Amino acid sequence: MGFVGLGNMGLPMVRRLIAAGYRVNGYDRAEAASEALVAAGGTAVPAASATARDAEAVVLMLPDSAAVEAVMDGDGLLQAAASGTVVIDMGSSRPLNTRALAARAALRGVRLVDAPVSGGVKGAGNGTLTVMAGGEPADVDRVRPLLEAVGRRVLHLGPAGAGHVLKALNNLMSATHLLLTSEAMLAGQRFGLDPATMLEAVNGSSGRSGSTERKWPDHILPETFDSGFGLRLMLKDMRIGVELAEATGVTPRLGRAATELWSDAADHLPPTADHTEIVNRLRQLLDEG
């Protein structure tokens, strides 16, 4: 198999695949990532298109539709892939772009499955990701063993683009949870409550969420801000989620408001900010009065 994109998520996923017995030809623009692939037992190739050579499946773990299309069209991966190859887009892309790419790929006999994931870097390393798959049932079934090597739950949601729809909506919910959780936690701290005790109480109560169970205790309280998922990537997914809601006739009032606040954070925090650093923008606003 081939694998393009050996970043925070891609590299631990590749390690899982190699451990499961897959022979992986991988590509990443960063030399250090290619070296890490070789150290894990994979083979580094000089171009994205080269990952498709003799491959039954090629995974793309890239940040957005523009990057996927640049690899598929600009770098020639679609042209290099043999008829019958399954390309699996496991990043967060725009669903309509995914559908269009699936149609173009089908003209060449190449199958496309969108299979974005949730669970973060830790889940990628542990093989406990949730995989949200879209595509033809036969294509999803064909690559299911591969997906199960990295995910604890592999759910087929519908035709091409369906996985990317749910991924965007999931991240819209996740980001909104984190924003409200952070506002509540800061309010409690300013009242004099201990944040660790607050989390213990909330996590045994109805207010709990992934933000209170993992993001605050693992990345915000220790101020490591090292979830491995960037703030601007989260904002990109939120915007897709809002657009999808609006396209269906749903008026996402809370989603729009949350997206505006995350956009403000992106304007004021460093370009490399982790998404858990949203709390730092809230602290800045408190300091500004």
Side-chain angles (χ1 to χ4, degrees), residues 95-111:
L96 293 181
N97 293 54
T98 301
R99 286 187 177 180
L101 180 58
R104 291 207 317 275
L107 294 176
R108 296 188 57 86
V110 175
R111 314 303 300 171

Side-chain angles (χ1 to χ4, degrees), residues 68-92:
V68 169
E69 290 163 9
V71 164
M72 292 290 283
D73 298 322
D75 294 348
L77 193 151
L78 180 55
Q79 187 173 10
S83 179
T85 302
V86 182
V87 175
I88 312 169
D89 180 0
M90 300 191 75
S92 300

Side-chain angles (χ1 to χ4, degrees), residues 49-166:
S49 58
T51 63
R53 189 174 300 124
D54 299 323
E56 294 184 44
V58 179
V59 171
L60 308 180
M61 195 60 185
L62 300 168
D64 52 35
S65 289
V68 169
E69 290 163 9
V71 164
M72 292 290 283
D73 298 322
D75 294 348
L77 193 151
L78 180 55
Q79 187 173 10
S83 179
T85 302
V86 182
V87 175
I88 312 169
D89 180 0
M90 300 191 75
S92 300
S93 297
R94 291 183 174 274
L96 293 181
N97 293 54
T98 301
R99 286 187 177 180
L101 180 58
R104 291 207 317 275
L107 294 176
R108 296 188 57 86
V110 175
R111 314 303 300 171
L112 182 75
V113 168
D114 53 301
V117 300
S118 182
V121 175
K122 187 175 182 179
N126 294 338
T128 57
L129 296 171
T130 294
V131 182
M132 311 168 205
E136 292 298 320
D139 297 330
V140 174
D141 287 344
R142 184 177 162 196
V143 298
R144 184 175 289 274
L146 183 158
L147 300 177
E148 290 177 343
V150 299
R152 180 167 56 194
R153 300 182 190 88
V154 178
L155 305 173
H156 183 201
L157 300 167
H164 284 145
V165 167
L166 187 56

Side-chain angles (χ1 to χ4, degrees), residues 206-240:
S206 58
R208 67 185 181 277
S209 68
S211 296
T212 62
E213 292 176 338
R214 292 182 298 279
K215 295 181 183 183
W216 258 82
D218 294 349
H219 309 294
I220 296 177
L221 270 190
E223 298 193 347
T224 53
F225 305 112
D226 55 355
S227 79
F229 188 64
L231 185 144
R232 284 158 182 80
L233 287 176
M234 180 67 89
L235 176 59
K236 179 260 299 180
D237 289 351
M238 294 177 73
R239 286 170 170 161
I240 295 173

